[in-house]
Amino acid sequence: MERGWLKEVLFAGQTANGFKIGTAMSLGWFWMRVNGCRLVYRGENMGAIDFDTVLTVTNPETGEVRLRDFISHEAGKDYFYVVRCANRSGQIERTLQAAVKVSIDLQGELEAGKPNEVFGLAVKQGTDGQIEIVWGYSPIEQESKPDVMRIYADEGTGEINEQEPMAVVKYKGKRIYRHKSTAPSNGRYRFAVRAADSEGNEEGTTKIVEIETAEKAVQAIEIVGVI
């Protein structure tokens, strides 16, 4: 937690950031937002967020943030926004938990947002013969919040059936996800996992994993001692 706004106004007098968060309302450099607030920042990528410039400030109970009309967006560019909370003492968090990517198409219109790609996609067959698909999801830089994770399979044909998912897993935030299913008959099988938002927009990953299944995986040998 930090109070960078206090250093600004103490050494530089009134500043743009100080004015936006309301320090001038007290006729002195004091924090006036006793209920806290949310501050919005922007950058061209997550490694270049301009935390020295507050774009806008909203009340903590506000469910959405509306940017001012003078905040422009160029056609064909991506923007990354970060929202940070300040408490009743004016201390501002230093996390990237509330981050979103905004893409503008070549016509200057907002592109339909999509969730991030899953990561760490893997598949294995357990000793019980079941297939376990494992993957992870992180919301950092996402354009749209996922609602579900859709698992697609090829059913041994070699071509993923993208029209109908084999299974659907509810999104539960940043974490590692696992899904088990009964192994098909012996053969080679391919799987893909894609995150989808409440509007049905899927991330467009082409990551695929495959596995050669057996009727039952070989039991691991446990060495209990050496003579």
Side-chain angles (χ1 to χ4, degrees), residues 133 135 146-153 163-172 177-181 192-197 202:
I133 304 170
W135 70 94
D147 181 55
V148 295
M149 304 286 183
R150 295 173 179 169
I151 303 173
Y152 296 93
Q163 303 303 315
E164 185 175 349
M166 176 189 79
V168 176
V169 177
K170 190 68 177 177
Y171 174 67
K172 296 182 180 180
Y177 292 81
R178 301 175 186 274
H179 175 78
K180 284 188 174 183
S181 65
V193 179
R194 298 192 182 106
D197 63 19
E202 283 187 349

Short mmCIF file of all heavy atoms in Angstrom, two decimals, residues 133 135 146-153 163-172 177-181 192-197 202:
data_model
loop_
_atom_site.label_atom_id
_atom_site.label_comp_id
_atom_site.label_asym_id
_atom_site.label_seq_id
_atom_site.Cartn_x
_atom_site.Cartn_y
_atom_site.Cartn_z
N ILE A 133 -7.56 -34.46 -17.74
CA ILE A 133 -7.11 -33.28 -18.49
C ILE A 133 -6.86 -32.17 -17.49
O ILE A 133 -7.71 -31.88 -16.64
CB ILE A 133 -8.15 -32.86 -19.53
CG1 ILE A 133 -8.47 -34.03 -20.47
CG2 ILE A 133 -7.67 -31.66 -20.34
CD1 ILE A 133 -9.65 -33.79 -21.37
N TRP A 135 -5.34 -28.08 -16.85
CA TRP A 135 -4.97 -26.80 -17.45
C TRP A 135 -5.10 -25.69 -16.40
O TRP A 135 -5.66 -25.89 -15.33
CB TRP A 135 -5.84 -26.49 -18.66
CG TRP A 135 -7.27 -26.16 -18.33
CD1 TRP A 135 -7.81 -24.93 -18.14
CD2 TRP A 135 -8.34 -27.10 -18.12
NE1 TRP A 135 -9.16 -25.02 -17.84
CE2 TRP A 135 -9.51 -26.34 -17.82
CE3 TRP A 135 -8.43 -28.49 -18.16
CZ2 TRP A 135 -10.73 -26.95 -17.56
CZ3 TRP A 135 -9.65 -29.08 -17.90
CH2 TRP A 135 -10.78 -28.31 -17.60
N PRO A 146 -14.31 -15.18 -18.25
CA PRO A 146 -14.89 -16.46 -18.66
C PRO A 146 -16.11 -16.82 -17.82
O PRO A 146 -16.24 -16.39 -16.67
CB PRO A 146 -13.75 -17.46 -18.42
CG PRO A 146 -12.52 -16.64 -18.26
CD PRO A 146 -12.96 -15.33 -17.70
N ASP A 147 -16.98 -17.58 -18.41
CA ASP A 147 -18.12 -18.14 -17.69
C ASP A 147 -17.92 -19.65 -17.52
O ASP A 147 -18.24 -20.20 -16.48
CB ASP A 147 -19.41 -17.86 -18.46
CG ASP A 147 -20.64 -18.40 -17.74
OD1 ASP A 147 -20.84 -18.04 -16.56
OD2 ASP A 147 -21.38 -19.21 -18.33
N VAL A 148 -17.39 -20.27 -18.57
CA VAL A 148 -17.14 -21.72 -18.53
C VAL A 148 -15.85 -22.05 -19.27
O VAL A 148 -15.30 -21.24 -20.01
CB VAL A 148 -18.30 -22.51 -19.19
CG1 VAL A 148 -19.59 -22.35 -18.40
CG2 VAL A 148 -18.49 -22.08 -20.64
N MET A 149 -15.38 -23.28 -19.05
CA MET A 149 -14.26 -23.85 -19.81
C MET A 149 -14.82 -25.02 -20.61
O MET A 149 -15.39 -25.95 -20.03
CB MET A 149 -13.17 -24.34 -18.86
CG MET A 149 -12.65 -23.29 -17.91
SD MET A 149 -11.60 -22.12 -18.76
CE MET A 149 -11.09 -21.08 -17.38
N ARG A 150 -14.67 -24.97 -21.92
CA ARG A 150 -15.20 -26.01 -22.78
C ARG A 150 -14.09 -26.97 -23.22
O ARG A 150 -13.05 -26.54 -23.69
CB ARG A 150 -15.86 -25.40 -24.01
CG ARG A 150 -17.09 -24.55 -23.68
CD ARG A 150 -17.59 -23.83 -24.91
NE ARG A 150 -18.79 -23.04 -24.63
CZ ARG A 150 -19.30 -22.14 -25.47
NH1 ARG A 150 -18.72 -21.94 -26.64
NH2 ARG A 150 -20.38 -21.46 -25.13
N ILE A 151 -14.36 -28.25 -23.04
CA ILE A 151 -13.39 -29.29 -23.42
C ILE A 151 -13.88 -29.95 -24.71
O ILE A 151 -15.00 -30.46 -24.77
CB ILE A 151 -13.25 -30.34 -22.31
CG1 ILE A 151 -12.83 -29.68 -20.99
CG2 ILE A 151 -12.24 -31.41 -22.72
CD1 ILE A 151 -12.83 -30.63 -19.81
N TYR A 152 -13.01 -29.93 -25.74
CA TYR A 152 -13.36 -30.52 -27.03
C TYR A 152 -12.48 -31.76 -27.27
O TYR A 152 -11.34 -31.82 -26.79
CB TYR A 152 -13.15 -29.52 -28.16
CG TYR A 152 -14.06 -28.31 -28.07
CD1 TYR A 152 -13.64 -27.14 -27.43
CD2 TYR A 152 -15.33 -28.34 -28.63
CE1 TYR A 152 -14.47 -26.04 -27.35
CE2 TYR A 152 -16.17 -27.23 -28.56
CZ TYR A 152 -15.73 -26.08 -27.91
OH TYR A 152 -16.55 -25.00 -27.83
N ALA A 153 -13.01 -32.73 -28.00
CA ALA A 153 -12.29 -33.97 -28.26
C ALA A 153 -12.48 -34.40 -29.71
O ALA A 153 -13.39 -33.92 -30.40
CB ALA A 153 -12.77 -35.07 -27.31
N GLN A 163 -17.81 -28.22 -32.68
CA GLN A 163 -19.21 -27.82 -32.65
C GLN A 163 -19.88 -28.20 -31.33
O GLN A 163 -20.80 -27.53 -30.87
CB GLN A 163 -19.97 -28.48 -33.81
CG GLN A 163 -19.39 -28.17 -35.17
CD GLN A 163 -19.33 -26.68 -35.45
OE1 GLN A 163 -20.30 -25.95 -35.19
NE2 GLN A 163 -18.21 -26.22 -35.97
N GLU A 164 -19.40 -29.27 -30.74
CA GLU A 164 -20.04 -29.76 -29.52
C GLU A 164 -18.97 -30.18 -28.50
O GLU A 164 -18.21 -31.12 -28.76
CB GLU A 164 -20.94 -30.95 -29.83
CG GLU A 164 -21.73 -31.45 -28.63
CD GLU A 164 -22.69 -32.55 -29.00
OE1 GLU A 164 -22.90 -32.79 -30.21
OE2 GLU A 164 -23.23 -33.19 -28.08
N PRO A 165 -18.89 -29.49 -27.38
CA PRO A 165 -17.86 -29.85 -26.38
C PRO A 165 -18.15 -31.20 -25.74
O PRO A 165 -19.30 -31.58 -25.54
CB PRO A 165 -17.95 -28.71 -25.36
CG PRO A 165 -19.33 -28.15 -25.51
CD PRO A 165 -19.68 -28.32 -26.96
N MET A 166 -17.07 -31.90 -25.39
CA MET A 166 -17.19 -33.17 -24.70
C MET A 166 -17.67 -32.95 -23.27
O MET A 166 -18.43 -33.75 -22.71
CB MET A 166 -15.83 -33.87 -24.68
CG MET A 166 -15.78 -35.17 -23.92
SD MET A 166 -14.09 -35.80 -23.72
CE MET A 166 -13.54 -34.75 -22.35
N ALA A 167 -17.23 -31.84 -22.66
CA ALA A 167 -17.60 -31.50 -21.29
C ALA A 167 -17.46 -29.99 -21.10
O ALA A 167 -16.75 -29.32 -21.85
CB ALA A 167 -16.72 -32.24 -20.28
N VAL A 168 -18.17 -29.47 -20.09
CA VAL A 168 -18.12 -28.05 -19.76
C VAL A 168 -17.84 -27.91 -18.27
O VAL A 168 -18.51 -28.54 -17.45
CB VAL A 168 -19.45 -27.34 -20.11
CG1 VAL A 168 -19.41 -25.88 -19.66
CG2 VAL A 168 -19.73 -27.43 -21.61
N VAL A 169 -16.82 -27.12 -17.94
CA VAL A 169 -16.42 -26.91 -16.55
C VAL A 169 -16.68 -25.45 -16.18
O VAL A 169 -16.29 -24.55 -16.92
CB VAL A 169 -14.93 -27.25 -16.34
CG1 VAL A 169 -14.50 -26.96 -14.91
CG2 VAL A 169 -14.67 -28.70 -16.71
N LYS A 170 -17.33 -25.21 -15.06
CA LYS A 170 -17.64 -23.85 -14.62
C LYS A 170 -16.37 -23.11 -14.23
O LYS A 170 -15.49 -23.65 -13.56
CB LYS A 170 -18.60 -23.90 -13.42
CG LYS A 170 -19.17 -22.54 -13.04
CD LYS A 170 -20.11 -22.00 -14.09
CE LYS A 170 -20.74 -20.67 -13.65
NZ LYS A 170 -21.60 -20.09 -14.70
N TYR A 171 -16.28 -21.86 -14.66
CA TYR A 171 -15.12 -21.02 -14.32
C TYR A 171 -15.18 -20.63 -12.85
O TYR A 171 -16.20 -20.17 -12.36
CB TYR A 171 -15.11 -19.76 -15.19
CG TYR A 171 -14.04 -18.77 -14.82
CD1 TYR A 171 -12.69 -19.07 -15.02
CD2 TYR A 171 -14.37 -17.53 -14.28
CE1 TYR A 171 -11.70 -18.15 -14.69
CE2 TYR A 171 -13.38 -16.61 -13.95
CZ TYR A 171 -12.06 -16.93 -14.15
OH TYR A 171 -11.07 -16.02 -13.82
N LYS A 172 -14.06 -20.80 -12.15
CA LYS A 172 -13.99 -20.49 -10.72
C LYS A 172 -12.79 -19.63 -10.38
O LYS A 172 -12.23 -19.71 -9.30
CB LYS A 172 -13.95 -21.78 -9.91
CG LYS A 172 -15.22 -22.63 -10.03
CD LYS A 172 -15.15 -23.88 -9.17
CE LYS A 172 -16.41 -24.71 -9.29
NZ LYS A 172 -16.36 -25.94 -8.45
N TYR A 177 -7.24 -26.22 -13.23
CA TYR A 177 -8.48 -26.99 -13.40
C TYR A 177 -8.14 -28.43 -13.80
O TYR A 177 -7.14 -28.69 -14.47
CB TYR A 177 -9.35 -26.36 -14.49
CG TYR A 177 -9.91 -25.01 -14.12
CD1 TYR A 177 -9.14 -23.86 -14.24
CD2 TYR A 177 -11.21 -24.88 -13.63
CE1 TYR A 177 -9.65 -22.61 -13.90
CE2 TYR A 177 -11.74 -23.64 -13.29
CZ TYR A 177 -10.95 -22.51 -13.42
OH TYR A 177 -11.45 -21.28 -13.07
N ARG A 178 -9.03 -29.35 -13.40
CA ARG A 178 -8.86 -30.76 -13.74
C ARG A 178 -10.21 -31.34 -14.13
O ARG A 178 -11.23 -30.99 -13.55
CB ARG A 178 -8.30 -31.54 -12.55
CG ARG A 178 -6.94 -31.04 -12.06
CD ARG A 178 -6.49 -31.79 -10.81
NE ARG A 178 -5.26 -31.22 -10.27
CZ ARG A 178 -4.04 -31.55 -10.67
NH1 ARG A 178 -3.90 -32.48 -11.61
NH2 ARG A 178 -2.98 -30.98 -10.15
N HIS A 179 -10.17 -32.23 -15.11
CA HIS A 179 -11.40 -32.93 -15.52
C HIS A 179 -11.05 -34.38 -15.82
O HIS A 179 -10.11 -34.67 -16.57
CB HIS A 179 -12.02 -32.29 -16.75
CG HIS A 179 -13.20 -33.05 -17.26
ND1 HIS A 179 -14.45 -32.96 -16.66
CD2 HIS A 179 -13.33 -33.93 -18.29
CE1 HIS A 179 -15.29 -33.74 -17.31
NE2 HIS A 179 -14.64 -34.33 -18.29
N LYS A 180 -11.80 -35.30 -15.21
CA LYS A 180 -11.58 -36.73 -15.43
C LYS A 180 -12.73 -37.32 -16.23
O LYS A 180 -13.88 -36.92 -16.06
CB LYS A 180 -11.45 -37.47 -14.10
CG LYS A 180 -10.10 -37.28 -13.41
CD LYS A 180 -9.97 -38.20 -12.21
CE LYS A 180 -8.59 -38.13 -11.59
NZ LYS A 180 -8.43 -39.08 -10.46
N SER A 181 -12.40 -38.28 -17.07
CA SER A 181 -13.43 -38.98 -17.83
C SER A 181 -12.98 -40.41 -18.07
O SER A 181 -11.78 -40.72 -18.00
CB SER A 181 -13.70 -38.28 -19.16
OG SER A 181 -12.56 -38.35 -19.99
N ALA A 192 -8.79 -30.38 -26.68
CA ALA A 192 -8.53 -28.94 -26.62
C ALA A 192 -9.44 -28.34 -25.55
O ALA A 192 -10.55 -28.85 -25.32
CB ALA A 192 -8.80 -28.28 -27.97
N VAL A 193 -8.97 -27.29 -24.90
CA VAL A 193 -9.76 -26.60 -23.87
C VAL A 193 -9.77 -25.11 -24.19
O VAL A 193 -8.72 -24.51 -24.42
CB VAL A 193 -9.16 -26.82 -22.46
CG1 VAL A 193 -9.99 -26.07 -21.42
CG2 VAL A 193 -9.12 -28.30 -22.13
N ARG A 194 -10.97 -24.53 -24.20
CA ARG A 194 -11.10 -23.10 -24.49
C ARG A 194 -12.02 -22.44 -23.46
O ARG A 194 -13.05 -23.00 -23.08
CB ARG A 194 -11.66 -22.88 -25.90
CG ARG A 194 -10.76 -23.43 -27.00
CD ARG A 194 -11.19 -22.94 -28.36
NE ARG A 194 -10.34 -23.51 -29.40
CZ ARG A 194 -10.71 -24.46 -30.23
NH1 ARG A 194 -11.93 -24.95 -30.15
NH2 ARG A 194 -9.88 -24.92 -31.14
N ALA A 195 -11.63 -21.24 -23.04
CA ALA A 195 -12.46 -20.46 -22.12
C ALA A 195 -13.49 -19.69 -22.93
O ALA A 195 -13.20 -19.17 -24.02
CB ALA A 195 -11.59 -19.48 -21.33
N ALA A 196 -14.73 -19.61 -22.42
CA ALA A 196 -15.81 -18.89 -23.10
C ALA A 196 -16.53 -17.99 -22.11
O ALA A 196 -16.74 -18.37 -20.95
CB ALA A 196 -16.79 -19.88 -23.73
N ASP A 197 -16.90 -16.78 -22.55
CA ASP A 197 -17.61 -15.87 -21.66
C ASP A 197 -19.11 -16.12 -21.71
O ASP A 197 -19.58 -17.03 -22.40
CB ASP A 197 -17.26 -14.41 -21.97
CG ASP A 197 -17.69 -13.97 -23.38
OD1 ASP A 197 -18.55 -14.65 -23.99
OD2 ASP A 197 -17.19 -12.94 -23.86
N GLU A 202 -15.38 -17.30 -27.43
CA GLU A 202 -14.29 -18.18 -27.02
C GLU A 202 -12.95 -17.57 -27.40
O GLU A 202 -12.83 -16.89 -28.41
CB GLU A 202 -14.39 -19.54 -27.70
CG GLU A 202 -15.43 -20.47 -27.12
CD GLU A 202 -15.32 -21.85 -27.75
OE1 GLU A 202 -14.60 -22.00 -28.76
OE2 GLU A 202 -15.96 -22.77 -27.23
#
